[in-house]
Amino acid sequence: MTIAIHESALIRHFNTRKEVLRAWEEKIGARFSPFRGFKMPDSRLYVEHPDFLDSIVDLIITNERHIFLRGPVGSGKSTLMLLALRDLPTLADRKGNKFVTGYVGMTGLYEKQMSAAIADSLRVKYRRSWESSQIIEAVAKECVRRYIEEKSRTALFVEDVADNQEAAFHKLRYLADLPTQEMKDEYPEVLDEPIITLIMSGTNVYWNAMLSFLPQIADRTEPLDVPALDDMKAKEFIGRRIAYAQGDIDSFNPNNTDISPFTDEAVKVINDAAKGNPRDIRMLARGCQQVAAENLRRSGNPEVTKDIAKLVAEAYATILREVR
Ligand SMILES: Nc1ncnc2c1ncn2[C@@H]1O[C@H](COP(=O)(O)OP(=O)(O)OP(=O)(O)O)[C@@H](O)[C@H]1O
Ligand SMILES: [Mg+2]
């Protein structure tokens, strides 16, 4: 009995909260919360970093180093990978080689899972019964064949690389070192450069671990820090999400200065607190929606003011401190 009463009180509380949020969304002409988390975000929500993206792509094209996209959780590593993946198939390097791309997004992989994931991502055929070394050998052979016969180099993207088993990492190392000496001996005039470029991601802690435990790869890898969003980009981030929720994303103009109901001052406070981290900007904006929605019920005004943003940023800082 008692439990049933508590439950219904809880449900009523959540329903009221939902209604309050819903009223705010309706007021601004949104069909859902602009700040909900999407499993697969629409690419029209992305705020681009053209210069940084160019520097990634340039490094891949010049083929001098592997790449480690370095940044805290939620800083946009995966998003940048997707953007680079989008651009590469349309490009060629200075020798006229095109690119074949593969993306391994899963983590926690063992040797064989990693080998199979790489083969799948690069569309290389193998048998399920094969050992991981056979699978990787098939990948290596096919990448070399594509290089020689199709003038295609391979760019292999591997997310959160250090979250995999150590043995899995050695498979990557083998690919990173291609062509092998025997391959070079066999085709000396063609195989004079690496044929697979690795683009890995991870936090700074993992980069340091790689430096000490896998110096053979780290020495040939360029760490690139994912840039924080500046205030203009934070504004665009919020603006895109609002336009998306309003069904207006296709006419979104990044130079548009109006992102009401958020004020510019509120965005600045949010971005300072988030240190330009998109995941944190989203969380803070969602908190602001909550407070602004309560406010709307009392005053009829849906605005997200600087004061609301300050309130939410302070609460957020407290929570983060407690978590740490
Ligand atoms: N440039 C961007 N424009 C718009 N949204 C972005 C951008 N970068 C990241 N985001 C959003 O921020 C969130 C975190 O981004 P992402 O998953 O790319 O970060 P990450 O660094 O890979 O995080 P993790 O360490 O958890 O893997 C996602 O919701 C993503 O859609
Ligand atoms: Mg990620």
Side-chain angles (χ1 to χ4, degrees):
M1 269 302 271
T2 341
I3 288 171
I5 290 165
H6 279 301
E7 262 180 9
S8 68
L10 197 64
I11 288 167
R12 230 181 305 122
H13 166 80
F14 277 115
N15 283 342
T16 313
R17 192 172 153 246
K18 228 192 272 168
E19 276 164 31
V20 169
L21 287 170
R22 190 63 217 120
W24 184 87
E25 286 153 18
E26 233 158 67
K27 179 84 176 176
I28 70 161
R31 299 171 194 164
F32 46 83
S33 170
F35 308 111
R36 75 179 186 195
F38 301 101
K39 245 206 184 123
M40 289 285 287
D42 191 303
S43 62
R44 292 172 297 180
L45 290 174
Y46 294 153
V47 177
E48 305 234 3
H49 295 275
D51 296 342
F52 187 69
L53 189 58
D54 283 352
S55 65
I56 300 174
V57 171
D58 283 350
L59 260 176
I60 299 173
I61 287 178
T62 53
N63 201 17
E64 276 159 17
R65 322 268 283 161
H66 299 293
I67 295 172
F68 189 96
L69 274 178
R70 184 169 62 180
V73 173
S75 57
K77 302 180 291 292
S78 303
T79 306
L80 273 160
M81 277 195 172
L82 294 176
L83 291 172
L85 272 166
R86 176 200 64 186
D87 287 356
L88 269 181
T90 64
L91 299 170
D93 68 16
R94 66 194 184 295
K95 293 185 177 171
N97 291 310
K98 293 182 305 245
F99 290 94
V100 173
T101 57
Y103 174 78
V104 177
M106 291 165 299
T107 56
L109 302 181
Y110 292 93
E111 208 172 355
K112 173 139 183 198
Q113 293 170 309
M114 175 62 88
S115 308
I118 292 171
D120 288 338
S121 80
L122 293 172
R123 294 162 303 282
V124 174
K125 292 209 181 88
Y126 61 93
R127 286 184 195 283
R128 291 194 145 270
S129 60
W130 286 3
E131 306 260 321
S132 58
S133 54
Q134 290 174 287
I135 300 175
I136 282 300
E137 203 44 55
V139 170
K141 284 222 174 74
E142 176 61 7
C143 290
V144 170
R145 191 197 65 76
R146 287 171 180 171
Y147 183 83
I148 295 174
E149 290 177 13
E150 297 173 2
K151 290 192 62 117
S152 289
R153 255 168 60 202
T154 299
L156 180 61
F157 291 71
V158 184
E159 287 270 23
D160 302 304
V161 67
D163 289 347
N164 297 295
Q165 302 295 318
E166 201 188 323
F169 215 97
H170 290 288
K171 296 294 170 227
L172 285 175
R173 200 178 129 196
Y174 178 70
L175 296 179
D177 285 338
L178 288 176
T180 61
Q181 195 52 53
E182 298 93 87
M183 289 170 173
K184 283 189 220 169
D185 293 345
E186 197 173 342
Y187 302 97
E189 62 292 342
V190 234
L191 294 180
D192 57 351
E193 63 172 358
I195 55 170
I196 298 187
T197 301
L198 293 181
I199 301 96
M200 301 163 276
S201 72
T203 61
N204 193 37
V205 172
Y206 285 138
W207 168 252
N208 287 333
M210 195 162 134
L211 276 178
S212 34
F213 297 113
L214 285 157
Q216 310 90 331
I217 292 196
D219 284 351
R220 292 187 293 118
T221 301
E222 188 73 25
L224 294 178
D225 286 307
V226 175
L229 299 193
D230 60 21
D231 288 349
M232 282 290 288
K233 288 199 158 74
K235 192 170 160 180
E236 182 182 337
F237 176 93
I238 291 174
R240 281 189 184 276
R241 281 182 165 262
I242 291 173
Y244 188 70
Q246 290 169 334
D248 280 343
I249 188 66
D250 286 321
S251 50
F252 179 80
N253 170 6
N255 301 318
N256 188 356
T257 50
D258 175 35
I259 54 158
S260 59
F262 282 72
T263 65
D264 282 8
E265 294 82 19
V267 174
K268 196 171 169 353
V269 171
I270 290 171
N271 200 37
D272 280 351
K275 300 198 185 75
N277 181 304
R279 185 203 54 176
D280 292 352
I281 296 172
R282 181 174 75 77
M283 305 287 275
L284 285 155
R286 195 161 67 172
C288 288
Q289 178 193 349
Q290 182 99 41
V291 178
E294 298 284 350
N295 224 15
L296 169 67
R297 189 165 59 160
R298 283 190 301 270
S299 69
N301 182 359
E303 201 171 42
V304 177
T305 59
K306 184 181 183 180
D307 286 342
I308 289 179
K310 272 186 177 162
L311 198 75
V312 172
E314 268 159 34
Y316 199 75
T318 312
I319 292 168
L320 284 183
R321 225 177 292 128
E322 278 163 14
V323 171
R324 282 183 202 125

